[in-house]
Amino acid sequence: MQHGPAVRRRKLGAELRALRTSAGLTSGEAARLVGWHQSKVSRIETGTSGVKPADVRLLLEAYGVADSQLRELLMVLAGSDDSGGRHHWWHAYRGVLPPTYRDFISLESQAGAMRTLETTVVPGLLQTPEYARAVTSAAVEGLPEDRLDTLVEVRLARQDVLRADPPLELSAVLDEAVLRREVGGPGVMARQLERLVEAARLPQVRLQVLPFAAGAHIGVTGPFVIFSFSSTSDLDVVVLDHLTSSLYLERKEDLQAYTEAFNALQIHALSPEDSLDFIAGTAAGA
Protein backbone atom coordinates (compact mmCIF):
# COMPACT_ATOMS: atom_id res chain seq x y z
CA MET A 1 0.00 0.00 0.00
CA GLN A 2 1.61 3.21 -1.20
CA HIS A 3 0.79 6.81 -1.98
CA GLY A 4 0.35 7.70 -5.65
CA PRO A 5 3.83 8.98 -6.56
CA ALA A 6 5.58 5.93 -5.07
CA VAL A 7 3.26 3.57 -6.92
CA ARG A 8 3.82 5.43 -10.16
CA ARG A 9 7.61 5.17 -9.77
CA ARG A 10 7.43 1.44 -9.04
CA LYS A 11 5.05 0.73 -11.91
CA LEU A 12 7.04 2.85 -14.32
CA GLY A 13 10.26 1.14 -13.28
CA ALA A 14 8.77 -2.34 -13.60
CA GLU A 15 7.44 -1.57 -17.08
CA LEU A 16 10.75 -0.09 -18.22
CA ARG A 17 12.55 -3.19 -16.94
CA ALA A 18 10.14 -5.42 -18.89
CA LEU A 19 10.66 -3.37 -22.05
CA ARG A 20 14.44 -3.56 -21.65
CA THR A 21 14.25 -7.33 -21.26
CA SER A 22 12.01 -7.60 -24.32
CA ALA A 23 14.60 -5.61 -26.26
CA GLY A 24 17.22 -8.19 -25.29
CA LEU A 25 19.37 -5.73 -23.35
CA THR A 26 21.11 -5.96 -19.99
CA SER A 27 20.93 -2.96 -17.68
CA GLY A 28 24.56 -2.24 -18.48
CA GLU A 29 23.93 -2.30 -22.22
CA ALA A 30 20.92 -0.03 -21.83
CA ALA A 31 22.98 2.41 -19.76
CA ARG A 32 25.69 2.55 -22.41
CA LEU A 33 23.12 3.22 -25.16
CA VAL A 34 21.86 6.35 -23.39
CA GLY A 35 25.18 7.41 -21.89
CA TRP A 36 24.41 6.70 -18.23
CA HIS A 37 25.94 4.68 -15.43
CA GLN A 38 24.33 1.28 -14.88
CA SER A 39 23.30 2.26 -11.34
CA LYS A 40 20.95 4.93 -12.72
CA VAL A 41 19.08 2.36 -14.81
CA SER A 42 18.85 0.09 -11.77
CA ARG A 43 17.48 2.86 -9.52
CA ILE A 44 14.86 3.76 -12.10
CA GLU A 45 13.77 0.15 -12.57
CA THR A 46 13.40 -0.49 -8.85
CA GLY A 47 11.53 2.76 -8.29
CA THR A 48 14.00 3.93 -5.67
CA SER A 49 14.54 7.23 -7.44
CA GLY A 50 12.44 9.50 -9.59
CA VAL A 51 12.94 9.74 -13.32
CA LYS A 52 12.55 12.73 -15.60
CA PRO A 53 10.21 12.47 -18.60
CA ALA A 54 13.18 13.20 -20.88
CA ASP A 55 15.01 10.19 -19.45
CA VAL A 56 12.00 7.95 -20.04
CA ARG A 57 11.85 9.16 -23.62
CA LEU A 58 15.53 8.24 -24.09
CA LEU A 59 14.95 4.73 -22.75
CA LEU A 60 11.87 4.19 -24.90
CA GLU A 61 13.86 5.18 -27.97
CA ALA A 62 16.71 2.88 -26.97
CA TYR A 63 14.27 -0.02 -26.50
CA GLY A 64 12.54 0.64 -29.81
CA VAL A 65 9.09 1.12 -28.26
CA ALA A 66 6.74 2.21 -31.06
CA ASP A 67 3.35 1.78 -29.32
CA SER A 68 2.17 5.41 -29.04
CA GLN A 69 -0.46 4.65 -26.40
CA LEU A 70 2.04 2.85 -24.18
CA ARG A 71 4.62 5.61 -24.68
CA GLU A 72 2.11 8.26 -23.67
CA LEU A 73 1.00 6.37 -20.58
CA LEU A 74 4.59 5.87 -19.41
CA MET A 75 5.30 9.56 -19.98
CA VAL A 76 2.29 10.43 -17.81
CA LEU A 77 3.60 8.15 -15.06
CA ALA A 78 6.89 10.05 -15.31
CA GLY A 79 5.02 13.31 -14.68
CA SER A 80 5.19 14.75 -18.17
CA ASP A 81 3.17 17.92 -18.73
CA ASP A 82 2.88 17.10 -22.41
CA SER A 83 3.19 13.47 -23.37
CA GLY A 84 3.48 12.90 -27.09
CA GLY A 85 2.18 16.40 -27.78
CA ARG A 86 -1.00 15.93 -25.75
CA HIS A 87 -1.77 18.68 -23.25
CA HIS A 88 -2.82 17.54 -19.79
CA TRP A 89 -5.31 20.12 -18.64
CA TRP A 90 -5.07 19.47 -14.90
CA HIS A 91 -1.57 20.94 -14.71
CA ALA A 92 -3.20 24.36 -14.97
CA TYR A 93 -4.62 23.70 -11.48
CA ARG A 94 -1.34 22.77 -9.76
CA GLY A 95 -1.78 25.52 -7.19
CA VAL A 96 -5.26 24.35 -6.26
CA LEU A 97 -5.28 20.56 -6.45
CA PRO A 98 -3.37 18.39 -3.95
CA PRO A 99 -0.82 16.01 -5.51
CA THR A 100 -2.92 12.91 -4.72
CA TYR A 101 -5.89 14.36 -6.64
CA ARG A 102 -3.65 15.22 -9.60
CA ASP A 103 -2.30 11.66 -9.55
CA PHE A 104 -5.86 10.32 -9.60
CA ILE A 105 -6.85 12.52 -12.54
CA SER A 106 -3.74 11.57 -14.51
CA LEU A 107 -4.53 7.87 -14.12
CA GLU A 108 -8.21 8.45 -14.91
CA SER A 109 -7.33 10.34 -18.09
CA GLN A 110 -5.14 7.50 -19.41
CA ALA A 111 -7.12 4.47 -18.24
CA GLY A 112 -9.06 2.37 -20.70
CA ALA A 113 -11.58 1.25 -18.09
CA MET A 114 -12.66 2.21 -14.60
CA ARG A 115 -14.63 0.05 -12.16
CA THR A 116 -15.96 1.74 -9.07
CA LEU A 117 -18.06 0.96 -6.03
CA GLU A 118 -19.75 4.01 -4.49
CA THR A 119 -21.52 3.73 -1.16
CA THR A 120 -22.13 7.38 -0.30
CA VAL A 121 -22.20 9.77 -3.25
CA VAL A 122 -22.61 9.70 -7.03
CA PRO A 123 -19.30 9.06 -8.86
CA GLY A 124 -17.57 12.30 -9.85
CA LEU A 125 -17.75 11.43 -13.55
CA LEU A 126 -21.56 11.37 -13.37
CA GLN A 127 -22.25 14.38 -11.14
CA THR A 128 -24.24 17.43 -12.21
CA PRO A 129 -22.67 20.85 -11.53
CA GLU A 130 -25.11 21.56 -8.68
CA TYR A 131 -24.54 18.17 -7.06
CA ALA A 132 -20.77 18.50 -7.42
CA ARG A 133 -20.92 21.89 -5.75
CA ALA A 134 -23.00 20.61 -2.83
CA VAL A 135 -20.72 17.57 -2.29
CA THR A 136 -17.52 19.61 -2.48
CA SER A 137 -18.86 22.27 -0.14
CA ALA A 138 -19.88 19.65 2.42
CA ALA A 139 -16.61 17.70 2.15
CA VAL A 140 -14.37 20.75 2.64
CA GLU A 141 -16.05 23.26 4.93
CA GLY A 142 -15.22 26.94 4.76
CA LEU A 143 -13.97 26.97 1.18
CA PRO A 144 -13.74 30.45 -0.38
CA GLU A 145 -16.23 30.86 -3.19
CA ASP A 146 -13.58 31.14 -5.91
CA ARG A 147 -11.80 27.97 -4.78
CA LEU A 148 -15.11 26.10 -4.64
CA ASP A 149 -15.85 27.27 -8.19
CA THR A 150 -12.47 25.94 -9.33
CA LEU A 151 -12.90 22.52 -7.73
CA VAL A 152 -16.32 22.13 -9.33
CA GLU A 153 -14.81 23.19 -12.66
CA VAL A 154 -12.18 20.47 -12.31
CA ARG A 155 -14.82 17.87 -11.42
CA LEU A 156 -16.77 18.69 -14.57
CA ALA A 157 -13.66 18.79 -16.76
CA ARG A 158 -12.82 15.25 -15.65
CA GLN A 159 -16.05 14.06 -17.26
CA ASP A 160 -14.57 14.63 -20.72
CA VAL A 161 -13.01 11.14 -20.51
CA LEU A 162 -16.49 9.74 -21.16
CA ARG A 163 -16.66 11.72 -24.40
CA ALA A 164 -13.10 11.01 -25.57
CA ASP A 165 -12.23 8.88 -28.58
CA PRO A 166 -12.11 6.16 -27.45
CA PRO A 167 -14.08 6.93 -24.28
CA LEU A 168 -13.28 5.60 -20.83
CA GLU A 169 -15.40 2.51 -20.14
CA LEU A 170 -17.08 3.08 -16.78
CA SER A 171 -18.63 0.30 -14.72
CA ALA A 172 -20.19 1.56 -11.50
CA VAL A 173 -22.03 -0.19 -8.69
CA LEU A 174 -24.00 2.26 -6.56
CA ASP A 175 -25.36 1.40 -3.16
CA GLU A 176 -29.01 2.42 -2.86
CA ALA A 177 -27.92 4.94 -0.21
CA VAL A 178 -26.32 6.98 -3.00
CA LEU A 179 -29.76 7.47 -4.55
CA ARG A 180 -31.57 8.09 -1.27
CA ARG A 181 -29.16 10.61 0.26
CA GLU A 182 -30.56 14.06 -0.50
CA VAL A 183 -27.55 16.14 -1.50
CA GLY A 184 -28.12 19.84 -2.15
CA GLY A 185 -31.89 19.69 -1.65
CA PRO A 186 -34.78 18.03 -3.51
CA GLY A 187 -34.30 19.97 -6.76
CA VAL A 188 -30.59 19.22 -7.02
CA MET A 189 -31.16 15.56 -6.23
CA ALA A 190 -33.97 15.22 -8.76
CA ARG A 191 -31.74 16.59 -11.53
CA GLN A 192 -28.90 14.32 -10.42
CA LEU A 193 -31.09 11.24 -10.66
CA GLU A 194 -32.16 12.32 -14.14
CA ARG A 195 -28.49 12.64 -15.06
CA LEU A 196 -27.86 9.07 -13.84
CA VAL A 197 -30.68 7.81 -16.05
CA GLU A 198 -29.11 9.57 -19.04
CA ALA A 199 -25.66 8.20 -18.21
CA ALA A 200 -26.95 4.65 -17.78
CA ARG A 201 -28.08 4.70 -21.42
CA LEU A 202 -24.59 5.50 -22.73
CA PRO A 203 -22.86 2.53 -24.39
CA GLN A 204 -19.61 3.17 -22.48
CA VAL A 205 -21.35 3.24 -19.08
CA ARG A 206 -22.56 0.20 -17.13
CA LEU A 207 -24.49 1.32 -14.08
CA GLN A 208 -25.88 -1.07 -11.46
CA VAL A 209 -27.71 -0.41 -8.21
CA LEU A 210 -27.13 -2.51 -5.10
CA PRO A 211 -30.47 -2.27 -3.27
CA PHE A 212 -30.88 -2.29 0.49
CA ALA A 213 -32.66 -5.63 0.06
CA ALA A 214 -29.33 -7.20 -0.89
CA GLY A 215 -28.35 -6.93 2.78
CA ALA A 216 -24.74 -6.90 3.92
CA HIS A 217 -22.23 -7.21 1.11
CA ILE A 218 -18.49 -7.25 0.48
CA GLY A 219 -18.51 -3.52 -0.27
CA VAL A 220 -19.59 -2.44 3.21
CA THR A 221 -15.93 -1.76 4.02
CA GLY A 222 -16.02 1.27 1.74
CA PRO A 223 -15.80 2.55 -1.83
CA PHE A 224 -12.93 1.81 -4.20
CA VAL A 225 -11.82 2.37 -7.78
CA ILE A 226 -9.98 -0.02 -10.11
CA PHE A 227 -8.18 1.54 -13.07
CA SER A 228 -7.32 -0.72 -16.01
CA PHE A 229 -5.06 0.18 -18.92
CA SER A 230 -5.44 -1.26 -22.40
CA SER A 231 -1.68 -1.08 -23.08
CA THR A 232 -0.68 -3.38 -20.22
CA SER A 233 -2.43 -4.95 -17.23
CA ASP A 234 0.78 -4.51 -15.22
CA LEU A 235 -0.19 -0.86 -14.72
CA ASP A 236 -3.64 -1.62 -13.27
CA VAL A 237 -4.17 -0.14 -9.81
CA VAL A 238 -6.76 0.05 -7.01
CA VAL A 239 -7.40 3.44 -5.39
CA LEU A 240 -8.87 3.89 -1.92
CA ASP A 241 -9.93 7.40 -0.94
CA HIS A 242 -9.46 8.78 2.57
CA LEU A 243 -10.30 12.17 4.04
CA THR A 244 -6.89 13.73 3.47
CA SER A 245 -5.23 11.42 0.94
CA SER A 246 -5.60 8.47 -1.42
CA LEU A 247 -3.90 5.10 -1.13
CA TYR A 248 -2.92 2.96 -4.09
CA LEU A 249 -2.78 -0.85 -4.11
CA GLU A 250 -0.59 -2.32 -6.82
CA ARG A 251 0.18 -5.91 -5.80
CA LYS A 252 -1.33 -8.61 -8.03
CA GLU A 253 -3.04 -10.22 -5.05
CA ASP A 254 -4.68 -6.89 -4.11
CA LEU A 255 -5.85 -6.35 -7.67
CA GLN A 256 -7.24 -9.88 -7.80
CA ALA A 257 -9.05 -9.46 -4.47
CA TYR A 258 -10.71 -6.20 -5.46
CA THR A 259 -11.55 -7.48 -8.94
CA GLU A 260 -13.25 -10.52 -7.42
CA ALA A 261 -15.06 -8.27 -4.95
CA PHE A 262 -16.33 -6.04 -7.75
CA ASN A 263 -17.47 -9.05 -9.77
CA ALA A 264 -19.38 -10.33 -6.73
CA LEU A 265 -21.01 -6.93 -6.24
CA GLN A 266 -22.15 -6.92 -9.87
CA ILE A 267 -23.74 -10.34 -9.37
CA HIS A 268 -25.68 -9.21 -6.28
CA ALA A 269 -26.66 -5.85 -7.79
CA LEU A 270 -29.63 -5.29 -10.05
CA SER A 271 -29.02 -5.75 -13.76
CA PRO A 272 -28.26 -2.57 -15.76
CA GLU A 273 -31.81 -2.65 -17.16
CA ASP A 274 -33.45 -3.11 -13.76
CA SER A 275 -31.10 -0.52 -12.28
CA LEU A 276 -32.25 2.01 -14.88
CA ASP A 277 -35.86 1.36 -13.89
CA PHE A 278 -34.94 1.57 -10.21
CA ILE A 279 -33.22 4.95 -10.64
CA ALA A 280 -36.11 6.27 -12.74
CA GLY A 281 -38.56 5.08 -10.10
CA THR A 282 -36.55 6.72 -7.34
CA ALA A 283 -36.51 9.96 -9.34
CA ALA A 284 -40.26 9.81 -9.86
CA GLY A 285 -40.84 9.34 -6.16
CA ALA A 286 -38.35 12.05 -5.09
Side-chain angles (χ1 to χ4, degrees), residues 235-278:
L235 295 175
D236 292 358
V237 64
V238 177
V239 185
L240 307 177
D241 261 342
H242 294 264
L243 182 62
T244 57
S245 65
S246 297
L247 292 175
Y248 294 69
L249 307 179
E250 58 170 330
R251 297 185 308 165
K252 291 186 182 299
E253 48 266 48
D254 292 326
L255 286 163
Q256 181 178 349
Y258 276 88
T259 296
E260 291 175 354
F262 189 80
N263 292 341
L265 289 166
Q266 286 188 309
I267 292 172
H268 288 95
L270 300 176
S271 69
E273 296 75 19
D274 289 343
S275 294
L276 182 60
D277 292 339
F278 191 95

Side-chain angles (χ1 to χ4, degrees), residues 8-284:
R8 292 200 304 180
R9 285 198 307 271
R10 285 163 58 95
K11 285 187 171 293
L12 177 59
E15 187 62 22
L16 289 173
R17 181 171 61 251
L19 291 171
R20 173 179 59 75
T21 301
S22 296
L25 298 170
T26 66
S27 58
E29 290 169 339
R32 284 192 293 274
L33 280 175
V34 295
W36 299 344
H37 193 279
Q38 181 180 356
S39 61
K40 180 172 180 178
V41 174
S42 297
R43 289 196 304 272
I44 289 173
E45 291 184 351
T46 57
T48 54
S49 67
V51 54
K52 297 178 181 178
D55 290 342
V56 172
R57 190 175 291 111
L58 278 176
L59 291 174
L60 295 178
E61 293 296 333
Y63 302 158
V65 179
D67 185 330
S68 59
Q69 189 175 13
L70 177 58
R71 288 175 66 97
E72 182 171 349
L73 177 55
L74 295 180
M75 292 300 292
V76 168
L77 290 176
S80 174
D81 287 353
D82 191 1
S83 309
R86 178 178 176 181
H87 176 65
H88 298 292
W89 58 268
W90 60 90
H91 289 289
Y93 299 92
R94 279 185 179 273
V96 179
L97 305 179
T100 51
Y101 193 17
R102 295 201 305 268
D103 286 334
F104 184 90
I105 295 173
S106 70
L107 290 172
E108 183 179 73
S109 72
Q110 295 299 318
M114 174 179 174
R115 287 163 287 177
T116 180
L117 165 69
E118 288 291 351
T119 59
T120 308
V121 298
V122 171
L125 294 182
L126 303 179
Q127 293 178 6
T128 65
E130 298 86 0
Y131 186 98
R133 190 176 191 84
V135 166
T136 305
S137 180
V140 189
E141 293 184 353
L143 272 178
E145 198 69 15
D146 59 342
R147 185 176 173 85
L148 178 58
D149 290 341
T150 299
L151 291 176
V152 172
E153 182 180 314
V154 169
R155 181 70 54 88
L156 300 179
R158 285 174 47 203
Q159 298 176 3
D160 284 345
V161 295
L162 295 176
R163 297 182 285 272
D165 183 21
L168 174 76
E169 294 182 6
L170 174 64
S171 296
V173 173
L174 308 183
D175 191 277
E176 184 178 343
V178 172
L179 310 180
R180 302 293 182 187
R181 179 169 287 101
E182 192 174 280
V183 174
V188 169
M189 199 61 206
R191 286 188 290 275
Q192 178 60 71
L193 292 175
E194 291 173 3
R195 166 67 179 131
L196 284 178
V197 170
E198 294 171 1
R201 295 194 175 109
L202 295 173
Q204 67 271 35
V205 176
R206 179 185 175 91
L207 199 59
Q208 292 181 258
V209 174
L210 195 62
F212 290 147
H217 53 77
I218 198 168
V220 294
T221 54
F224 59 86
V225 172
I226 306 173
F227 284 124
S228 299
F229 299 88
S230 53
S231 299
T232 170
S233 62
D234 289 341
L235 295 175
D236 292 358
V237 64
V238 177
V239 185
L240 307 177
D241 261 342
H242 294 264
L243 182 62
T244 57
S245 65
S246 297
L247 292 175
Y248 294 69
L249 307 179
E250 58 170 330
R251 297 185 308 165
K252 291 186 182 299
E253 48 266 48
D254 292 326
L255 286 163
Q256 181 178 349
Y258 276 88
T259 296
E260 291 175 354
F262 189 80
N263 292 341
L265 289 166
Q266 286 188 309
I267 292 172
H268 288 95
L270 300 176
S271 69
E273 296 75 19
D274 289 343
S275 294
L276 182 60
D277 292 339
F278 191 95
I279 296 170
T282 304

